[in-house]
Amino acid sequence: MARPKSSDEGGQAWIECKRPRGCSSIRSCCLLILDTRPTHSTKRHYPLQQKHLRIYPKVAEMNTMQRATGSAFTALRSIGASARLFHSSPRPLIKVGDAIPDVEVQEGSPGNKLSIAKELKGKALIIGVPAAFSPGCTSTHIPGFIKHRSQLPESVYVVAVNDAFVMKAWAESFPQAKDSGIRFIADPSGKFTESLDLLFDGTAIFANHRSKRYALVVEDGKVSQLFVEPDNTGINVSKAENVIASLK
């Protein structure tokens, strides 16, 4: 039987099976082949030299492989490239109007779990920092919010990808933090931060993935304003003065 022509056959693609002709089971060396032609409802074999081609019609709609490449290896590379592009496409950062995700975090100890999303009522502020006890976070960023506490919403959360014990100790290192009512929240797994798409690879400095520096103004559980540092760790966009000015 002659090899089918892609120009005539309505959007086929194939890969050559390297097993001898006559094998009848799907093996790992065989690629599933899709055929969008509505008239084809059965499997057919197309021998080619000492190999054969498998076609499994009507398995799914073919969008990415609309025509045969003429080369099994080229087809395989094309499929792999499409998959990589799909999986590596970054989703947008959280934006104004998005709801804060309902993801479990910790406060004070690993056993004290909570969901920030479930606690949010009215206006609130969520501040993300790359690391507890880091110089910029400890000497500049968080002290700025503590200093201007009276101008901030009632509920203020400081979130970092650190464990609960570290966050508790860090909170205690600020003399005025206890009376300020600012809560220091641990996101040890990074899942909350990742759900905001505000996680970055900080391996070179912090040995693992960390939170971008940010501030989110939230109203009734949804983001109304956001301040995210474009370089992940700077203290410009998200500094207290900028956030406070936006609240007036």
Side-chain angles (χ1 to χ4, degrees):
M1 184 178 294
R3 177 176 178 170
K5 296 179 180 179
S6 60
S7 59
D8 304 335
E9 297 291 343
Q12 293 183 28
W14 59 80
I15 188 168
E16 298 173 12
C17 175
K18 294 187 176 182
R19 296 178 62 80
R21 275 189 291 176
C23 68
S24 58
S25 60
I26 300 176
R27 304 285 182 173
S28 60
C29 67
C30 301
L31 177 69
L32 187 66
I33 303 304
L34 310 179
D35 187 345
T36 57
R37 293 172 298 170
T39 57
H40 284 223
S41 58
T42 58
K43 156 176 94 174
R44 292 196 294 168
H45 289 216
Y46 290 93
L48 178 65
Q49 297 177 357
Q50 296 302 312
K51 306 168 184 179
H52 70 263
L53 304 172
R54 294 173 175 271
I55 292 184
Y56 293 85
K58 299 183 68 173
V59 177
E61 288 295 324
M62 283 182 56
N63 294 321
T64 58
M65 285 201 314
Q66 293 185 347
R67 57 180 61 84
T69 63
S71 165
F73 296 106
T74 304
L76 187 57
R77 284 196 299 269
S78 176
I79 295 167
S82 297
R84 286 193 298 274
L85 285 171
F86 175 81
H87 289 293
S88 64
S89 298
R91 77 175 185 85
L93 294 172
I94 190 167
K95 60 184 182 299
V96 172
D98 286 350
I100 297 300
D102 181 8
V103 178
E104 197 173 75
V105 289
Q106 303 170 4
E107 183 178 21
S109 71
N112 187 23
K113 304 180 189 301
L114 68 142
S115 168
I116 295 175
K118 290 180 178 178
E119 294 190 358
L120 294 173
K121 293 180 181 180
K123 185 172 287 189
L125 178 64
I126 302 174
I127 306 163
V129 297
F133 290 106
S134 63
C137 301
T138 305
S139 64
T140 305
H141 197 210
I142 299 307
F145 289 101
I146 294 175
K147 180 180 178 180
H148 300 287
R149 178 64 179 97
S150 62
Q151 300 179 60
L152 301 176
E154 181 179 351
S155 298
V156 179
Y157 304 85
V158 176
V159 182
V161 182
N162 284 108
D163 65 71
F165 299 119
V166 168
M167 290 300 287
K168 181 181 179 181
W170 190 39
E172 292 171 350
S173 73
F174 296 103
Q176 299 174 323
K178 183 177 181 180
D179 295 332
S180 72
I182 294 176
R183 300 168 65 180
F184 287 72
I185 305 298
D187 180 23
S189 67
K191 289 183 179 178
F192 174 77
T193 305
E194 184 179 24
S195 68
L196 297 172
D197 198 31
L198 292 171
L199 202 66
F200 79 99
D201 186 355
T203 305
I205 302 173
F206 304 112
N208 58 13
H209 286 67
R210 294 299 180 111
S211 171
K212 295 173 181 284
R213 192 183 304 281
Y214 66 87
L216 303 178
V217 179
V218 181
E219 294 187 44
D220 297 324
K222 295 185 178 182
V223 177
S224 61
Q225 298 182 70
L226 68 164
F227 306 81
V228 181
E229 297 294 344
D231 65 352
N232 300 326
T233 60
I235 310 175
N236 298 299
V237 176
S238 65
K239 62 185 180 181
E241 292 78 4
N242 288 343
V243 176
I244 291 168
S246 73
L247 296 172
K248 294 178 179 179

